[in-house]
Structures are given as C-alpha cells and as structure tokens.
Amino acid sequence: MGGTRIIVLQLREIIKTAVFVLLGLAVILLLIYLFIPRNKPEVSGDLYIPGTYTAEIILHNSPVNVDVTVSKDKILDVTMTNMAETQQVFYPLFQPAMADLSKEIVANQTTDLIPSSDYPVTGQIILDAVNNALSQAAVKQ
C-alpha cells in the first residue's frame, strides 16, 4: 500500500505541473495576441459626417436648438433656432453670445474658446451645446 501512495502523490504533482504549464502557455499566447500589431484601416481625413446636427438647451422650460452644420472637414455654420419671445426677454444675452461665438467657432474651426467676460456662463452653455452637436457629427474611428 505504501508504494501505491507514492505513485498517487507523484501523479498529483504531475497533474499540478501540467495545469500550471497549460495556464502559463495560455497567458503567453494571450500576451502575444494582445501585443501583435494589427492592420488598422486607413484613416480618412474626414472629421465629420456632413450634415446639420442639433443639440438642445432648455431655457425657461422650453427647448432652444443649437444647429451646427458641418462638411467633411469644416464647421460651416452655428445657429440658434426655436427661441421664443419670452426666452429672449428672460435670457437677453443668448442671441449676442451666440452671434459672437458662432463667428469665432467658424473662423477658428474649434470650440476650444474662452467665452467673453460679458457672458461667461451663457457662452459656456452654448459651447457645451455645440460640442454635443459636434460629437454627433464626428466620424467614429
């Protein structure tokens, strides 16, 4: 019986070693798979999917749309639509801020702008809406 016991213990050690070797090989193969460079698709120069994209700003419990029109690689226009008369009365800085920021965004082709000190909060709200619309227009790569 003593001889059988030694064989069982040795068989256990062999099985443990085999399992660890298989796990080691699996980890090595996984690392090789993760770090081998793959052929990436060609990156096109397109930044946006052409069209007009809309983001909403809620003012006085009513939505105001910020429409951003883009071509493949440019921001063409930024406008605000659906602004009611009551919203214009309660938020008088929105239209002048939008006019200024629209010109700057189209001229600089970026929303990384610092809003004027005349309308810092209003400007940031508009920039956030434009960024939201541009994220909808962005080409997913």
Side-chain angles (χ1 to χ4, degrees), residues 33-55:
Y33 175 76
L34 291 175
F35 290 110
I36 287 180
R38 293 177 188 80
N39 292 337
K40 293 184 180 177
E42 300 244 350
V43 177
S44 66
D46 297 349
L47 297 174
Y48 308 111
I49 300 168
T52 300
Y53 298 87
T54 302

Side-chain angles (χ1 to χ4, degrees), residues 38-126:
R38 293 177 188 80
N39 292 337
K40 293 184 180 177
E42 300 244 350
V43 177
S44 66
D46 297 349
L47 297 174
Y48 308 111
I49 300 168
T52 300
Y53 298 87
T54 302
E56 272 188 355
I57 301 173
I58 303 297
L59 297 177
H60 202 67
N61 297 326
S62 298
V64 174
N65 293 335
V66 175
D67 297 329
V68 179
T69 304
V70 295
S71 68
K72 289 182 179 181
D73 58 350
K74 288 185 177 181
I75 302 170
L76 301 175
D77 191 26
V78 179
T79 57
M80 188 172 359
T81 57
N82 298 343
M83 189 162 194
E85 204 171 303
T86 56
Q87 292 168 321
Q88 291 175 11
V89 170
F90 284 108
Y91 303 97
L93 291 179
F94 260 87
Q95 286 189 324
M98 186 64 177
D100 290 346
L101 286 173
S102 176
K103 288 177 192 172
E104 287 184 48
I105 290 169
V106 172
N108 297 320
Q109 292 297 306
T110 184
T111 57
D112 293 332
L113 304 170
I114 299 171
S116 169
S117 60
D118 295 337
Y119 45 80
V121 175
T122 304
Q124 192 58 51
I125 291 170
I126 293 170

Side-chain angles (χ1 to χ4, degrees), residues 12-29:
R12 267 191 206 157
E13 295 299 320
I14 291 172
I15 292 172
K16 284 181 189 177
T17 303
V19 168
F20 284 124
V21 167
L22 289 174
L23 284 174
L25 285 173
V27 168
I28 289 171
L29 290 174

